[in-house]
Amino acid sequence: VFINGDDGTRLRNYVQTNSSAQVRSIVFGATITNYVTTPLLVEHVGVRLKTDHTRRGDLRVSVISPRGTRSELQHPNDDFNAGPVDATYYSTHQFYESSMGVWTIEVSDEMNAPFGNVTYSEFIVHGVPITDEDWDGLDDSWEQQHFHTLAAGPADDGDFDGESNMSEFIQGTDPLRGSEPFALSVSQW
């Protein structure tokens, strides 16, 4: 059952005065989706929010990447000020993921009252531009150079050296040639 804020307040007051009443409350919030088609290797993302909420500290703000990486931008806290009136949060948790796909912003009120609304949201993504026709996060020219195809996935490890194709791409190493062992010569001075 979905109820508005006024009905929720009435229900809370009813439960407080009727000890035999049983109520289960589930927090619902605003979910804002952003579809990104620009191919970037993400360096950091930002979320700009404006709300009319009377207690900023009641809110939890998260952003979820197309790959499923969740970054909590604001935890519930003891901030009794209104807002966020106009705040921008940044995260690097999605570092070097592909920007393409659906990004989700979630804003939830973790307390019972007072209530508020998200009046404005903006999603910001900064990263390194790549050509990525197959939407896997790997630059197509790099894939063609090393594999002669776009079939290799970012999590694959063609040379079985423990480094994924994405790691090899970022480091500029050959994904089909195992890493050279680290050579160290120790001598006494």
Side-chain angles (χ1 to χ4, degrees), residues 6-155:
D6 292 336
D7 291 339
T9 301
R10 281 195 284 279
L11 179 61
R12 183 195 65 212
N13 293 341
Y14 174 79
V15 170
Q16 289 175 343
T17 59
N18 294 285
S19 60
S20 63
Q22 294 182 1
V23 175
R24 181 172 177 224
S25 167
I26 301 173
V27 175
F28 290 98
T31 301
I32 303 140
T33 55
N34 301 273
Y35 192 72
V36 177
T37 58
T38 305
L40 299 172
L41 284 179
V42 174
E43 291 178 345
H44 64 276
V45 297
V47 173
R48 182 176 175 203
L49 282 179
K50 295 180 183 181
T51 73
D52 61 7
H53 202 283
T54 58
R55 284 191 47 179
R56 178 184 183 134
D58 290 357
L59 302 181
R60 180 182 309 274
V61 179
S62 302
V63 62
I64 301 117
S65 72
R67 193 166 137 191
T69 305
R70 176 183 292 272
S71 178
E72 204 162 304
L73 305 172
Q74 177 180 301
H75 304 279
N77 57 66
D78 293 329
D79 186 345
F80 291 97
N81 295 306
V85 176
D86 188 356
T88 304
Y89 305 90
Y90 288 99
S91 174
T92 58
H93 284 124
Q94 292 86 1
F95 191 72
Y96 272 127
E97 288 187 25
S98 175
S99 63
M100 296 191 304
V102 177
W103 290 79
T104 306
I105 301 167
E106 292 180 348
V107 182
S108 60
D109 187 336
E110 302 292 317
M111 300 299 170
N112 291 332
F115 302 100
N117 301 291
V118 174
T119 58
Y120 176 84
S121 73
E122 180 181 345
F123 178 68
I124 305 157
V125 60
H126 293 276
V128 177
I130 60 171
T131 302
D132 190 11
E133 294 295 323
D134 59 346
W135 289 44
D136 64 357
L138 297 171
D139 185 78
D140 291 347
S141 60
W142 182 86
E143 283 183 270
Q144 289 289 356
Q145 176 188 353
H146 293 286
F147 302 110
H148 309 291
T149 179
L150 298 180

